[in-house]
Amino acid sequence: QVQLVESGGGLVQAGGSLRLSCAASGRTLSRYIMGWFRQAPGKEREFVAATSWTGGSTYYADSVKGRFTISRDNAKNTVYLQMNSLKPEDTAVYYCAADSDYSRVLPTSEWEYEYWGQGTQVTVSS
């Protein structure tokens, strides 16, 4: 079992930045694909970004490409999401997720991730 805990959310003005963290316990994350998803009020959860187990490969949703950066520190068992140039439409609960099938192409569907954190709220004011 992998337990994931997100932190770093909060209230920020448009154009600002936040860095989310996802700390894992129970097992090392070094052999897991890691992803970030978000869910805005009244909307379905959507893919944001994913990183391979080495961190050498990343993939982003078009809506965040060029503004968000996913990274990981396997020694610290932590994954990060650096969010810059935030927009009001980025407001959502952000979740990290882990996929143990580390050898496959980075998945963008939530159904392919086995473990989830409880989420952290990000609110961007205009």
Side-chain angles (χ1 to χ4, degrees), residues 27-96:
R27 286 186 180 177
T28 176
L29 286 183
S30 62
R31 292 287 178 161
Y32 287 81
I33 289 173
M34 297 301 297
W36 285 96
F37 288 75
R38 66 186 181 185
Q39 187 168 21
K43 294 187 177 181
E44 293 185 351
R45 189 153 54 184
E46 64 175 1
F47 170 79
V48 174
T51 178
S52 62
W53 68 277
T54 64
S57 179
T58 58
Y59 187 74
Y60 297 91
D62 287 344
S63 59
V64 306
K65 201 173 297 182
R67 299 188 298 122
F68 291 11
T69 302
I70 187 172
S71 62
R72 65 192 300 161
D73 185 339
N74 286 339
K76 295 183 178 179
N77 236 21
T78 302
V79 179
Y80 305 97
L81 186 68
Q82 177 66 44
M83 305 185 296
N84 298 328
S85 302
L86 283 161
K87 305 175 181 180
E89 51 263 45
D90 294 319
T91 295
V93 177
Y94 282 72
Y95 300 89
C96 70

